[in-house]
Amino acid sequence: MKIITTVKELREELKAYRHLGKSIGFVPTMGYLHEGHESLMIEAKKQTDIVVLSIFVNPLQFGPNEDFERYPRDLEKDQDIATKAGIDIIFAPSVKEMYPNEMKTTVQVIDITSKLCGASRPGHFEGVATVVSKLFLIVQPDKAFFGQKDAQQIAVIQQMVDDLNFPINIVACPIVREEDGLARSSRNVYLSTEERLQAVILNLSLQSAKEEIIKGNQNTETIKQLIIQKINEMPLAKIDYVEILTYPSLKEIETLQQGEKVIIALAVWFGKTRLIDNLLIEI
Amino acid sequence: MKIITTVKELREELKAYRHLGKSIGFVPTMGYLHEGHESLMIEAKKQTDIVVLSIFVNPLQFGPNEDFERYPRDLEKDQDIATKAGIDIIFAPSVKEMYPNEMKTTVQVIDITSKLCGASRPGHFEGVATVVSKLFLIVQPDKAFFGQKDAQQIAVIQQMVDDLNFPINIVACPIVREEDGLARSSRNVYLSTEERLQAVILNLSLQSAKEEIIKGNQNTETIKQLIIQKINEMPLAKIDYVEILTYPSLKEIETLQQGEKVIIALAVWFGKTRLIDNLLIEI
């Protein structure tokens, strides 16, 4: 496995593989890798010949009061995990390498970015779309792999890929969970023991909602209230949002109709830590 | 020469050439080709193995009251010119092929798009940056060729290429002029005989300004006034803007300093026709 830190070197390396007719897979991450990332790497290795993992904590997608500075980083441990997963190249550029000059260009996706995390984190998806565009143009992969935990991110990136004709297949991989159901996230490390125990409510409330839907409840408002009630049973939980929307178009929906694909998405604060989780259901 | 109208077919065609190690040149146009375009095609043929010419009148870059509908089109004549210039592929997609679904994604460049034509034509450069991004991702050329007549467009596209890491060299080619000095433009066909005669003032006033600078005049305001005075001698001319700015950063400048690269840029209406011209000078 090679660690590359410059755009120039990465391009040269990949050019050689491309000449040999190898397909390129790409797993963009912010590092501090966990089993969720691991599942993306394993899937990428299955579907493509050469897999590039990028590790870059992108300042553009963090708000001024968010956790860019304290976001957890551990390149050495990440290397071990990537090596075991069979990654061929880690691309770990500095902020200066990615943004050598004042950025005047952004990639903007409207409509689906105004809901859910886009509403709570203004500018976030502009930062995501812009850095993913850059990484796509640097790596030029055949396929790129994203975790379904960031379901809105996948919707935004798929929209961008379709609208701008990126010649890249986006592969969405299922959420990987802890034993007790908490979705794996680099931010879980922020949680105190008490918060960590109560955080299980995210998945539990999603499961209850799913059961309710299976039982025949079609009213999204009552299902949402059920989730909110459940989360509020945990004294340390503070709800950011609970939404049921069509997926991937992210439109409001009052009554669940057969054939509809919907997302139940939620974001919940535990102290200074904001966790997200979601469930996709075909009605 | 091949005419291709779909993204899918173009990609397949170019893939074959790429496998053979051929370099790809790209000349994006809105068609109604003239000697200005011809010079781009000839330069592209010199510098790259396979040249793609795109012909697409992009609705996104026209304002609601602009000339999208009446913009001149003549695909048959364009084919003749392209064949003679040695073009390998004409890519002439329909609006539906380029925009099959509602576009939610745009590429936006700030700062340098707020001056000159960007100030007169709100949304214009957003439309340009977005369609050029799409075309770049469809064609994936090694080099793309643009005319210096649209000097601001080149500055915007170079900025976008640098900021988003497009792996493409932008080649700027000099303005091609008629015998009497009028810059070649597809829009010249709109001009009445009288307007056509008076339109020569664009180039003449730029030449006067250049002489003034060579004589040692460093004051941009007096040089601008000289140009305005000259243009206003033509009764059918109505000035949109006359500006002297640094290039390609497009910043205001009061006193011309040695070593500075500046653009003298102007846009002038003749009836319903808006003509632009410019001169780049290294002081």
Side-chain angles (χ1 to χ4, degrees), chain A residues 1-3 53 78-80 82-83 86-90:
Chain A
M1 196 204 48
K2 250 191 175 166
I3 301 185
L53 173 90
D78 287 350
Q79 280 178 45
D80 287 349
T83 307
I87 289 296
D88 302 279
I89 298 169
I90 291 183

Side-chain angles (χ1 to χ4, degrees), chain B residues 204-223:
Chain B
L204 286 179
S205 64
L206 288 172
Q207 292 307 323
S208 300
K210 189 181 178 180
E211 279 166 32
E212 190 70 13
I213 291 168
I214 290 169
K215 272 196 263 168
N217 190 341
Q218 295 183 301
N219 185 308
T220 57
E221 194 47 45
T222 63
I223 301 167

